[in-house]
Amino acid sequence: MEEICAKMDKILLEYLSLISALQEQWKQISTNLGSGFFQLAHARYTMGPHRLNQNQYDGRMQAITRVLISQKKDTDILNTQSEFICHYTLTTLEEITDDPKDNDSSSLRRRMIKDPENDIAKKQSKSRVIEDPLRWFGILVPSTLRESQRHFKQSLSGMVNIINLRNEIINKEAEYKLLKKEKEKFMEENRAKHANSMKDI
């Protein structure tokens, strides 16, 4: 009984810590988004609306970052059940294409890219280069536009962290509920034993 109560206290403390981290992350995201939009508005005022609008977007644009989803099997919930918990990781396109766990064809493609004497490799290397979106609006963009991009990148990273924190919170809730059920079952068994002993007397 004491062991179960100790586990419940530990999980509850971890749960409260995760809630606190989640709230702090939300505050940070709110600050970054506010600063990002403010800097973007300032850059638009500086450059002029005709130089900073959707007409300047490159139609061949590609995402610079990707969200990788991995699953791990959790068997720590009293060893009574196992669940797959998703974990999200923000990474760049280069990190994905250069993953050492790629298959042989991907490894061959990387070797070809690194060979300067191979024309095909040069073409592939060029096709993999992703241009910074800031270059769509000129080479010498104002610092406010760069700051805006930095704030939005930080917000994106924070959003991924929030999802991971949320998954951990859900997992802690499941652990706590199972321990609570085990505690109630233990107390019922003790009451039944006590009632039987009283009958014998």
Side-chain angles (χ1 to χ4, degrees), residues 10-158:
K10 180 182 177 183
I11 290 174
L12 186 59
L13 290 174
E14 292 174 350
Y15 179 83
L16 294 175
S17 178
L18 290 170
I19 291 292
S20 177
L22 185 68
Q23 292 176 341
E24 289 297 324
Q25 194 68 66
W26 270 118
K27 290 180 183 179
Q28 188 62 41
I29 288 177
S30 178
T31 301
N32 283 326
L33 286 176
S35 300
F37 281 114
F38 178 80
Q39 297 289 356
L40 183 62
H42 192 278
R44 187 179 176 86
Y45 174 79
T46 303
M47 299 175 64
H50 62 284
R51 288 191 57 200
L52 189 58
N53 56 41
Q54 61 183 4
N55 294 327
Q56 304 300 116
Y57 296 172
D58 189 344
R60 301 163 297 177
M61 71 174 75
Q62 298 182 44
I64 296 178
T65 57
R66 297 284 191 275
V67 176
L68 298 180
I69 304 175
S70 58
Q71 289 185 329
K72 63 177 182 178
K73 201 170 186 179
D74 184 26
T75 57
D76 295 333
I77 307 178
L78 303 179
N79 294 323
T80 58
Q81 70 176 18
S82 60
E83 294 181 347
F84 285 101
I85 301 176
C86 290
H87 181 78
Y88 300 86
T89 306
L90 192 67
T91 183
T92 64
L93 185 61
E94 289 295 325
E95 289 174 351
I96 293 175
T97 53
D98 289 337
D99 190 351
K101 296 181 181 179
D102 287 347
N103 54 30
D104 296 338
S105 61
S106 298
S107 301
L108 177 60
R109 183 172 65 254
R110 288 196 300 273
R111 288 197 298 270
M112 292 175 63
I113 290 173
K114 294 178 181 179
D115 185 4
E117 298 178 359
N118 195 319
D119 294 336
I120 299 176
K122 291 180 181 179
K123 292 180 180 179
Q124 290 178 344
S125 180
K126 289 180 180 178
S127 65
R128 288 180 57 195
V129 174
I130 298 178
E131 187 175 317
D132 188 346
L134 290 182
R135 293 181 178 271
W136 300 346
F137 309 101
I139 298 176
L140 300 176
V141 296
S143 60
T144 50
L145 190 59
R146 296 187 183 278
E147 283 295 308
S148 177
Q149 184 190 48
R150 183 177 65 84
H151 285 299
F152 286 128
K153 284 182 176 180
Q154 290 176 349
S155 298
L156 182 61
S157 177

Side-chain angles (χ1 to χ4, degrees), residues 160-186:
V160 173
N161 291 336
I162 279 181
I163 295 174
N164 289 327
L165 285 171
R166 177 180 173 275
N167 289 341
E168 291 183 35
I169 288 172
I170 292 174
N171 184 47
K172 293 300 176 185
E173 289 176 348
E175 289 185 28
Y176 189 86
K177 288 178 181 178
L178 286 174
L179 284 169
K180 186 177 180 181
K181 288 181 180 179
E182 185 174 337
K183 179 182 177 182
E184 292 173 352
K185 182 180 178 181
F186 182 81

Side-chain angles (χ1 to χ4, degrees), residues 193-201:
K193 289 179 181 179
H194 180 71
N196 292 331
S197 62
M198 292 296 294
K199 288 180 181 179
D200 294 338
I201 294 174

